[in-house]
Amino acid sequence: MNVLVATDGSKYGRWALDWVAQLPLVEPAKVMALHVLDVAALRAPFLTQPAMAGIEPYVQEEIQRMETRSVKTLQEATQQLASLKLAGTAQKEQGPVAPTILKRAPKRDGLLVVGSQGLDALDRFMLGSVSTNLIHHAPCPVLVVKGEAVPLRRMILATDGSDASAKALKFVLTKFQPDRSTGNGERVPIHVSVFHVLPLVMYPGLKAAGKKLLDQSVQKLVKAGFAAEPLCYLGNPAQEIMKAASQQRADLIVMGAQGLGAIARFLIGSVSTRVVQHAKGSVLVVR
């Protein structure tokens, strides 16, 4: 599997590579660790301010600092790839961060991995919410990393009957191994909680349809070798997904990029965006 990992020298960038090594991928990852240097963003605040012309020496000094840090970031990424025994390379490109990452993102069968935050407060101010941009526009699934990598033991798989959630289920079934090694030669199934949220306004047959959807998903996962259970709650989808992830001590939330349609998205907002922004754990958004 082709995997693009956005790295910026922060702990989130290092965690992103660690996550790739920990994911139970069926097909070995071929990794590109991409570091994007956005010099233009540094100049942008001063371009329309002639009175600030004297600031140029300070801008040049900051650009030099960024270049130096960039070299260190690439060196560290190369060393980390080797230590994790991941096949791949580290590469630097210049340009606006999100568009440059999107240009390099793998196609539909690949994976994009990005940290939920940048190196520091200034970088986050300059870059905007890169991870949010990527989950809306990447051509492939996006894993947004929020913490240190752990062996994948438990997942929350959010489903609502949409094409996107069907693709999320397919990703788990085809891209992830169903079990993990315990370290003593034994293998145990990865546990998947298939999660469906019913709306506060109930319509005839909706509960039965939700139960059928859950049962079908659970059956497919069990047949593939996962341990799976259905969970159905009533309430706000994003809030309930995050609450369930906390209660289940899930290592990862997996969900589709969009809901059932324009009306559903209008009613519930962008659930995937809310979960990515506010969940405590890492989130995989599949499109």
Side-chain angles (χ1 to χ4, degrees), residues 26 169-179 189-190 192 216-228:
V26 172
L169 172 61
K170 183 179 178 181
F171 185 95
V172 172
L173 289 170
T174 60
K175 304 300 183 182
F176 285 165
Q177 298 179 34
D179 53 17
I190 294 172
V192 183
Q216 290 175 342
S217 299
V218 167
Q219 289 172 12
K220 290 178 181 179
L221 288 161
V222 171
K223 184 177 180 180
F226 293 90

Side-chain angles (χ1 to χ4, degrees), residues 1-5 20 25 29-33 106 110-113:
M1 174 188 283
N2 291 322
V3 180
L4 179 67
V5 178
V20 176
L25 297 173
K30 183 178 179 182
V31 183
M32 176 190 286
L111 179 65
L112 172 58
V113 185

